[in-house]
Amino acid sequence: MTDATARAAALLREHRESIDRLDAILVYTLAERFKHTQAVGRLKAEHGLPPSDPAREAQQIARLEGLARQADLDPEFARKFLAFIISEVIRHHERHQSSGAHAGAATQDQTQET
Amino acid sequence: MTDATARAAALLREHRESIDRLDAILVYTLAERFKHTQAVGRLKAEHGLPPSDPAREAQQIARLEGLARQADLDPEFARKFLAFIISEVIRHHERHQSSGAHAGAATQDQTQET
């Protein structure tokens, strides 16, 4: 192994350690985010609030795209990321619906809150 | 609107504000993570390091599942999240490959670094 290759291997290790730390941030932040969407789902079911809010979702998409541009992240990726999160929130709600006795239509409709 | 409904609406607003703040964390953290995977791709291409590292990927998956359990996040979601990130890293590399004159096989192979 040449000196240059050894330096590259050391740099690679440092990048991977950073990636691992960033992944921990991502996992814990996603966990916190799901706690909030779950609480929102319960709130809407308990208080008969409108289950879907297209204006809110459009606002979220526009905001994420803006944040992505500021962070030098592909805005298309930001859109796909939100779609991925939405699909996971839907899966959560569906699982709760199938396991709950009286979840019914209200729970199904909460899937719009992301 | 009853008092209870007004309180629920206020709580909903607070949850949404938290979700928006968490989304900003997610976008910036993802942007930082992609900077590292891009640097890794360049390092590997420049120094002829092995492009793929299945042991590293298996370690990442196991670690993310463990973090997810600690954070009370569905471990299955953690796996799907990593797969989503991997697909985005691959897309980035492919785009760089198609736009670069001499990217070739080495760039293609870098797609394994996630």
Side-chain angles (χ1 to χ4, degrees), chain A residues 15-16 20 23 28 33-36 53 56 63 70 72-74 77 80 88 91 113, chain B residues 15-16 20 23 28 33-36 53 56 63 70-74 77 80 88 91 113:
Chain A
H15 283 299
R16 285 177 167 179
D20 285 346
D23 280 345
Y28 273 82
R33 192 189 194 285
F34 280 120
K35 293 294 177 190
H36 285 285
D53 191 340
R56 160 74 177 161
R63 184 171 172 275
Q70 288 169 31
D72 195 22
L73 182 71
D74 182 359
F77 172 69
K80 283 162 59 183
E88 180 64 11
R91 201 176 64 80
E113 181 71 33
Chain B
H15 283 299
R16 285 176 166 177
D20 286 346
D23 280 345
Y28 273 82
R33 193 190 192 284
F34 280 120
K35 294 294 178 189
H36 285 286
D53 190 340
R56 160 73 177 162
R63 183 171 172 276
Q70 288 169 32
D72 196 21
L73 182 71
D74 182 359
F77 172 70
K80 283 161 60 183
E88 181 64 11
R91 201 176 65 79
E113 182 70 31

Side-chain angles (χ1 to χ4, degrees), chain A residues 4-5 8 11-12 15-16 18-20 22-37 39-40 43-44 47 49 53 56 60 63-64 67-68 70-74 76-77 80-81 84 88 91 95 113-114, chain B residues 4-5 8 11-12 15-16 18-20 22-37 39-40 43-44 47 49 53 56 60 63-64 67-68 70-74 76-77 80-81 84 88 91 95 113-114:
Chain A
T5 306
L11 277 173
L12 175 62
H15 283 299
R16 285 177 167 179
S18 289
I19 288 167
D20 285 346
L22 294 166
D23 280 345
I25 296 174
L26 290 170
V27 165
Y28 273 82
T29 305
L30 285 166
E32 181 67 14
R33 192 189 194 285
F34 280 120
K35 293 294 177 190
H36 285 285
T37 53
V40 166
L43 262 179
K44 287 183 167 182
H47 296 274
L49 293 168
D53 191 340
R56 160 74 177 161
Q60 282 177 289
R63 184 171 172 275
L64 278 183
L67 285 169
Q70 288 169 31
D72 195 22
L73 182 71
D74 182 359
E76 183 189 336
F77 172 69
K80 283 162 59 183
F81 179 72
F84 174 76
E88 180 64 11
R91 201 176 64 80
R95 199 168 48 184
E113 181 71 33
T114 53
Chain B
T5 306
L11 276 174
L12 175 63
H15 283 299
R16 285 176 166 177
S18 289
I19 288 167
D20 286 346
L22 293 166
D23 280 345
I25 296 175
L26 290 171
V27 165
Y28 273 82
T29 305
L30 284 167
E32 180 66 14
R33 193 190 192 284
F34 280 120
K35 294 294 178 189
H36 285 286
T37 54
V40 165
L43 262 180
K44 287 182 168 183
H47 296 275
L49 292 169
D53 190 340
R56 160 73 177 162
Q60 282 178 288
R63 183 171 172 276
L64 278 184
L67 285 169
Q70 288 169 32
D72 196 21
L73 182 71
D74 182 359
E76 183 189 335
F77 172 70
K80 283 161 60 183
F81 179 71
F84 175 76
E88 181 64 11
R91 201 176 65 79
R95 198 167 52 184
E113 182 70 31
T114 52

